[in-house]
Amino acid sequence: MDMLSRLKRKLAGMSISQGITLLIFVTVLTVTMVLPLIQMLRMAFLGEGGVFVGLENYRRYFGNPLLARSIRNTIDISFWTTIISTTLGFFYAYGLTRSNIKFKTFFRYTALIPIFIPTVVHALGLIYLFGRQGILTRAFNLDIEIYGRLGIIMAEVIFTFPQAFLMFLVALKFTDGRLYEAADAMGIPAWKKMFFITLPEIKYTVVNVLFVCFTLAFTDFGAPKVLGGQFNVLATDIYQQVVGQFNMNMGAVVGTLLLVPAFASFIADRVISSKNAGTLSAKATTLVIKKSYARDGFFYVFCTAITASLLLLVGALFVGAFAYFYPFNMAFTLRHFDFPQAQGGINAFYNSLLMAGLTAVLGTIFVFVYAYLMEKVNGFGGIQRYGKLLGILPLAVPGMVIGLSFIFFFNSQANPLHFIFGTIIILVLANVISFFSVPFLTISACLKKLDKEYESVGDSMSIPRWKTFLRVSVPLSLPAILESSMYFFVNAMVTVSAMVFLVSPRFNIAAVAITQMEENGRPSQAAAMALLIFGINISVRILYEVSVKLIQFKLRKRETTNGN
């Protein structure tokens, strides 16, 4: 009886400590994400001197023909980017999953190239290819107006294509072969199978891809900043209002407009996710891909064309970075890696490494513990539901909005956390918040697969929860932890949108330095910095792949040993 009483007291004490820890983590996320957003929304309704003016700022914005045109331009760019990226992403994924072409692994990894470089670099690569002195312009006597609408659409397609491709790749991998076998038996042609079997099977993915591509193009800053010229969009409007004119209230107005498609995409994703669960029958069979020289020939050409385009983009950066004075002196040189001190020099790259490393380590630790508290702690339903909502909320908040809201919140002298403004701390914090949702969902899905009996057995044996956490949950979740760390690091290295508002002259970072160097007429040095980012991100990706393979090998070896 005494033992039972002690166990009850211990469990009661454990619940209190877990509840306090849960409350602390939820409070931290509320303070660093929700309160800054509230402050930004508040600023949109204030005038000079902090006086409440209601919707006056919105009337002024929409009453200005130049600013109102930015909305039409943004919608136009986003619409065509979405159509093109969705089409290309679907056929590229279809070619890798529904044909017998070779080199699928090579095609798959090449499609991810744009993820490893900032969006501003996509625009820079296009300038080197199609600008007035561009490689392709000179070689084929082309006359493409790269600055303005066309150039932005091309850059945004490069940016959003990998996202569309990855989503379609996952959806097309899971299919019921029985439907296609029945269609073959009935002599149904391939185009009818596409429209009446394949597309209906992935209809939710199609809708999701449309929303994601539209939102990414709608909120991107890097490509319009470099290629926009007089073609303004909402993202560049924010930059001009805040950085150029110090009009914080009007910047907040534009920030709220950027939230509209992001929240629409967020809601659509939640609805689609709930409807798209468990659609593959347990009786489903594997799809057997039949021989078709015409089909395989088409997808060889198509996938090769996409791959060649992406490799050409990277190749153009190499030309810009290593040519002495493109295009007039093509002698090899390393002088462009001597970066201007006005943009931080080589220290900007080292700062990015430090920032990305801290984001990967601290962000992954915070997210893992946070997800563990959401999934493995019982008895705090209300707080946990709110915490899970906070975990997925960053999916609906663009990076520029996070950067802007951080200015309004942390730059206030009345805020006790004001001391972090202008330091690496706020950069790391902005990155963790911006990219929080994907690692949170990844780790949560992993923890849900772990048997809850681990914690129950540990409690019954009086093993502290922290030991169960470190000795069971962490080792079994290691692949998800590595994936989240890699995701944080790569995105922190390439992000521009939030960072452009938060960097200081004393602590610049590589992605922002690229934007500044291109703006100041130093495209070769911008290309050189881009190659450094690309190289480090590829190295991190390779390290991640090797680590996961090693972990899987050790787990299989352990299972084999235990089985014997």
Side-chain angles (χ1 to χ4, degrees):
M1 192 70 178
D2 291 338
M3 185 180 296
L4 184 61
S5 300
R6 285 197 301 271
L7 180 59
K8 287 182 178 180
R9 286 196 299 270
K10 184 174 181 178
L11 291 176
M14 187 184 301
S15 297
I16 294 173
S17 63
Q18 290 174 349
I20 293 173
T21 306
L22 177 64
L23 189 60
I24 290 173
F25 272 73
V26 170
T27 301
V28 168
L29 207 54
T30 300
V31 170
T32 56
M33 179 172 61
V34 178
L35 295 186
L37 288 174
I38 292 174
Q39 179 65 8
M40 189 199 72
L41 294 173
R42 177 175 168 271
M43 289 290 292
F45 297 96
L46 299 180
E48 294 183 6
V51 179
F52 180 77
V53 295
L55 297 175
E56 179 60 29
N57 290 330
Y58 288 91
R59 282 193 289 268
R60 284 174 53 202
Y61 184 85
F62 287 104
N64 187 325
L66 293 178
L67 296 179
R69 189 183 304 159
S70 297
I71 298 178
R72 295 194 296 271
N73 291 344
T74 306
I75 294 174
D76 175 56
I77 292 294
S78 303
F79 173 79
W80 287 109
T81 297
T82 300
I83 297 300
I84 297 170
S85 291
T86 302
T87 303
L88 294 179
F90 171 76
F91 280 106
Y92 199 89
Y94 192 91
L96 299 193
T97 55
R98 303 296 177 85
S99 73
N100 290 314
I101 63 173
K102 296 180 180 180
F103 312 113
K104 290 184 178 181
T105 301
F106 172 73
F107 286 135
R108 178 163 60 90
Y109 282 114
T110 306
L112 305 182
I113 284 177
I115 294 176
F116 299 113
I117 49 180
T119 56
V120 65
V121 178
H122 305 157
L124 183 63
L126 289 175
I127 292 175
Y128 270 111
L129 291 174
F130 299 104
R132 293 180 180 87
Q133 296 293 334
I135 298 170
L136 297 183
T137 300
R138 291 164 59 87
F140 300 101
N141 195 26
L142 299 177
D143 185 18
I144 297 177
E145 183 51 55
I146 198 68
Y147 294 97
R149 178 175 178 270
L150 177 61
I152 296 175
I153 291 176
M154 292 172 68
E156 298 298 357
V157 168
I158 295 170
F159 172 44
T160 55
F161 165 75
Q163 324 295 331
F165 159 68
L166 287 173
M167 295 171 73
F168 280 127
L169 184 69
V170 173
L172 290 169
K173 276 184 177 179
F174 299 98
T175 188
D176 191 347
R178 295 176 299 171
L179 299 174
Y180 293 89
E181 291 172 3
D184 290 337
M186 297 170 64
I188 295 176
W191 68 268
K192 279 193 174 182
K193 286 188 285 186
M194 170 74 77
F195 282 99
F196 294 102
I197 300 178
T198 302
L199 291 179
E201 274 189 331
I202 62 169
K203 59 184 177 182
Y204 294 120
T205 301
V206 172
V207 176
N208 219 348
V209 169
L210 291 172
F211 272 105
V212 168
C213 290
F214 188 91
T215 303
L216 289 174
F218 197 94
T219 59
D220 181 49
F221 169 75
K225 179 67 175 65
V226 175
L227 295 173
Q230 300 301 314
F231 193 89
N232 286 346
V233 297
L234 287 175
T236 53
D237 273 0
I238 289 185
Y239 185 77
Q240 292 168 0
Q241 294 291 334
V242 174
V243 177
Q245 303 177 27
F246 296 100
N247 191 339
M248 298 298 184
N249 301 103
M250 199 59 72
V253 168
V254 185
T256 60
L257 296 178
L258 284 180
L259 283 173
V260 174
F263 266 103
S265 176
F266 170 76
I267 294 171
D269 178 72
R270 295 298 96 194
V271 173
I272 289 170
S273 296
S274 63
K275 290 184 176 181
N276 201 26
T279 56
L280 191 64
S281 170
K283 298 179 180 179
T285 61
T286 302
L287 174 63
V288 178
I289 303 173
K290 297 184 178 181
K291 290 184 179 180
S292 173
Y293 293 109
R295 179 203 61 208
D296 293 350
F298 169 79
F299 282 113
Y300 262 126
V301 174
F302 181 81
C303 293
T304 300
I306 297 292
T307 298
S309 299
L310 297 178
L311 292 176
L312 194 61
L313 187 76
V314 176
L317 297 177
F318 276 92
V319 171
F322 293 107
Y324 190 86
F325 184 36
Y326 178 85
F328 306 105
N329 186 345
M330 299 298 291
F332 178 84
T333 182
L334 295 175
R335 70 174 188 147
H336 301 307
F337 288 85
D338 183 16
F339 303 110
Q341 291 303 314
Q343 281 78 51
I346 190 62
N347 286 332
F349 177 68
Y350 297 145
N351 291 342
S352 285
L353 286 177
L354 177 61
M355 178 193 69
L358 290 174
T359 300
V361 174
L362 300 179
T364 304
I365 292 173
F366 184 89
V367 171
F368 187 84
V369 177
Y370 188 87
Y372 183 88
L373 292 170
M374 295 298 122
E375 301 297 336
K376 295 296 184 178
V377 173
N378 299 319
F380 302 95
I383 298 177
Q384 287 172 312
R385 282 192 293 272
Y386 171 67
K388 289 180 179 180
L389 176 62
L390 289 182
I392 60 176
L393 185 59
L395 288 173
V397 185
M400 290 205 78
V401 173
I402 290 176
L404 192 62
S405 63
F406 270 35
I407 290 179
F408 296 143
F409 185 71
F410 291 104
N411 199 29
S412 171
Q413 295 289 343
N415 190 331
L417 297 174
H418 171 73
F419 69 94
I420 74 171
F421 196 81
T423 69
I424 190 175
I425 299 174
I426 197 169
L427 301 182
V428 172
L429 184 60
N431 281 323
V432 172
I433 296 299
S434 295
F435 310 119
F436 189 92
S437 295
V438 172
F440 171 71
L441 293 172
T442 300
I443 293 174
S444 294
C446 178
L447 291 172
K448 284 178 182 177
K449 295 178 182 179
L450 302 184
D451 198 331
K452 293 184 178 180
E453 292 299 318
Y454 288 124
E455 283 74 25
S456 300
V457 171
D459 293 341
S460 65
M461 297 176 66
S462 298
I463 298 175
R465 273 289 178 100
W466 65 267
K467 284 190 176 181
T468 306
F469 173 81
L470 293 176
R471 295 179 179 179
V472 178
S473 299
V474 171
L476 292 178
S477 305
L478 204 52
I481 292 173
L482 291 175
E483 182 178 351
S484 299
S485 299
M486 188 268 299
Y487 180 86
F488 270 129
F489 185 92
V490 170
N491 281 281
M493 285 295 297
V494 303
T495 186
V496 176
S497 299
M499 300 295 102
V500 74
F501 293 121
L502 301 176
V503 295
S504 67
R506 294 174 298 160
F507 195 91
N508 202 2
I509 60 171
V512 175
I514 291 173
T515 306
Q516 295 168 343
M517 285 186 280
E518 195 282 331
E519 189 176 21
N520 293 332
R522 297 176 178 270
S524 295
Q525 290 170 311
M529 184 71 82
L531 290 181
L532 293 180
I533 294 177
F534 181 68
I536 196 68
N537 280 342
I538 290 294
S539 300
V540 169
R541 178 72 193 196
I542 293 173
L543 181 62
Y544 160 73
E545 297 281 355
V546 172
S547 299
V548 170
K549 295 290 184 184
L550 185 60
I551 291 171
Q552 292 173 344
F553 172 76
K554 288 187 175 181
L555 289 176
R556 286 195 297 267
K557 187 176 180 181
R558 182 182 300 176
E559 290 174 0
T560 303
T561 303
N562 293 338
N564 294 334

